[in-house]
Amino acid sequence: MRNLYHLIFCFFILCALQVHSQNLEDSIYNSLDAFVATPDEENLDKLKLEIKAISQQNLKSKEKLAVIIAQCNMGYYSNKYNQTQQAISLYETAWSSYQKHNFKNYDMIEFCLKPLGNLYTKTGNFSQAENTIKIYINAAQKNNNQQQEIAGIINLSVVYHNTGHFNMAIDILEKKIKKSNLNAKQKKALENNLTTNLIALKSYEEAQKLISKNIGKPLLATEYKNAAQLALQKKEFQEAEEYLKLAEKALRKDPNITARKLAKLYTEKADVYLAQQEFTKAENSFLNALNSLLPHHRNDVFTSQELLYPENTFLSIFDGLAQLQEDWQKALDYYDLSFYVSDMIAENITSQHAKITHLSATKERSEACLAILFEQTKTAKDSSILEKALQYAEESKAAILKENRYKQALALRYPEDSLIKKRQKLEHQQQSFINKIIRHQLSGKKPPEKLMTDLNKTNLSLNKAKAVLNEKYPDKKSMPIALNALQKQLDSDAAEMRLFFFGQRTVYHFSITKNTATFEKTGEAKHLRKLIQKYLYFFEEPSLINTQISDYKESAYSLYKGLKFKKNNSENIIIIPDGLLSFIPFGALLTQKHKGIQFEKMPFLIREKPIIYQTAASFYLDKREMSHHKKRLGIFPIFEGTPYELRYSVEEAESFKKQDNSEILYKSEATKAAFLKKAAAYNILHLSTHAQGGNYTIPASLAFYDETLLLPELYTLNLNPELIVLSACETGIGKIQGGEGAMSLARGFQYAGAKNLLFSLWQVNDKATAELMTSFYGHFESSKSKSSSLYQTKGDYLLNPRLKNPKKSPYYWAGFVYYGEIEAAQDTGSTQMQWIVFMILCVILCIFLLLRKRKLTKNKAH
């Protein structure tokens, strides 16, 4: 009987649990249905709290799926109410959970991945957008769902369009259009995006053919917008306006109309008015766009930062409004709003590549701000104008390197923080997956689907970890550069600073000493590009300077004048280059005209004082403590018996080995794995090998004995050495990416944590390199100053009586540049004399004491 009661009791418990499970699942769907019936922001917030509480319970499979469906719906409405980041977070959480539990019975492409990919595009997170879209294109192809595949191709073409890869967009669109099994609606949608990209490439005739096919028929809003863009290019302004009116009419009939689509239409109208110089109409259109995104905005009150959210349409609006202001301060206020939104967008991007793409536009904005402030310097002598201009120029430089330095400093300050460790681990995983994808692409292979999925999962986890860390450590914005702090440090270093800003139209520079500071227009960018390109031509081959000495001298002096250098009594000069100036060997510029052909007698800038380069002014002020290791590691693959053998690297290795606390990885020992394993444990890293600067498609690379290390692989390292010497070709060369500078190996090592670097700007001669490096370390051993040692090394090379004049050409010695701190050279001669005097005094004292002792002994005997 007892067993029967026990069975009945268990039966009722199971029934109760089943009812509870059904009630919980039903509760989720009932709450969702109730919200969808009367959606608003207040009810959405309530639903989010309810679903969050339920998701934290111990749920069964059906309940977990119900939560995922609710999250997708909440993501949709969050986006609708301009809660962009919350929408992204909800979709990401839903997608992570769906993958984790391996669900199959919900259309995640339609209700999660498509909107999530679009949100990534909207917020400028293009790498994440591309990866997400490719995942659901692959899934749609597997499921034979052509409609979702086409949607993916169109959305991917938008990503390529927004990142300037118009040909890639055209390629994927044309491939799909050629398929014979498309219906008219699908083909029209693909052709519409194809038209957009043809217009961007200025292929107007081809674009016109596609548009003409449908003129006279009812068109989509996007088709009317394309027709308007084409009319605008032809300066048919009235026609452009009419097409945009039709676009607005079609858009307002669209049940899926969004505030963003309407705002973008208004900005396009503003562009047409600007082209006709109808500035009042243009301003009203920009304000209409702003009011679409901010329904409660008032035109008579300047926009508050508190109202804004990560949305790239704001950038077009505020930049446009800034250009229309007569009041220069109000113009800067609008640009500052653009910078603010841009920072918010960048905050949510985890991929370095996507962040660089996003930040490239900020340099144009900085140039516009500098142009406004420079005009003010003509009538006002207010030092605050110079300081504000300096801040704009500084903030345009190396934003990602600065952010990474902040993260490294945070890790050093809180070494046991589990969140920081988790983020570091995820960033390492992310970059490892990216490196594998790059290697597949370089070999002409399509990356495996699993690799793309693993990267996507890592990105989602990294987004969550980053959000939690930002709440815990919110104050990461770099402080403004204080001019007085800069001048105080320059006084301490007996230095002057020349900071350049190389814009699309104009080049500016700041000249700062301990007592003075000036903000000047260096010249027109177009003119200076010509001077720079002419000067750099002479360093393309070893013989060019020697065979065209007169032309070289003229070019070197012309560029010196063009950059408006002035004589100064400082002992050191710090140069912060920008754009093309990053590739200039400033030390080889001539400070005056010279008639002779003997290089050792030429008035090179390096003859005057040591030249120290920096990436940004804030890096110059950074007094981060270096590694406490006192060991040196040299990498010398040599490549013996191959066409790439570095014969003189053998001498360089022997010289390096003689230094105290030095270890070398020689020939077959110099593998990539050995370097990666050992690098963090050494104070000085010296790499004598081959390198390539890369190009627009292939990243820079560094050769080891067994394999090549690609630039992105450096992003996974965590180094903190006193010095890295890249004794290899083109280690400072790479694709220029806006204010971030050249995507070079040198920058890669900076990202990894190096503060001081010595590297090359072109394909250096290995014999000259060996001599320079041997001399550099000799001086460094005695002076303990990196900047002074390179200065002395170059001076010694020019005055070396064993070298004939052709070998003293700047091609052989000017290629190596030093980025880093300034240290006063130790006066070794004076120190040695002090020791000699001290030893002599000690000897005299000993003799005196010995004689005195003998005298006392004799006296006692008597």
Side-chain angles (χ1 to χ4, degrees), residues 538 544-554 596-599 602 805:
F538 292 101
L544 290 175
I545 294 176
N546 283 311
T547 56
Q548 303 173 58
I549 288 183
S550 295
D551 292 340
Y552 170 77
K553 289 190 298 180
E554 181 186 346
I597 62 170
Q598 297 297 314
F599 290 113
M602 290 185 187
N805 191 56

Side-chain angles (χ1 to χ4, degrees), residues 41-42 69 134 195 374 435 458 478 588 624 629-630 671 697 790 842:
E41 290 188 58
E42 185 179 348
I69 292 170
K134 283 181 176 178
T195 303
F374 182 71
N435 293 337
T458 302
S478 59
R624 178 163 48 100
H629 298 298
K630 293 300 177 186
T671 63
T697 56
L790 185 60
C842 286

Side-chain angles (χ1 to χ4, degrees), residues 1-14:
M1 196 68 177
R2 181 180 293 178
N3 290 338
L4 178 61
Y5 287 141
H6 183 70
L7 287 171
I8 292 170
F9 175 76
C10 290
F11 174 75
F12 279 115
I13 290 293
L14 287 170

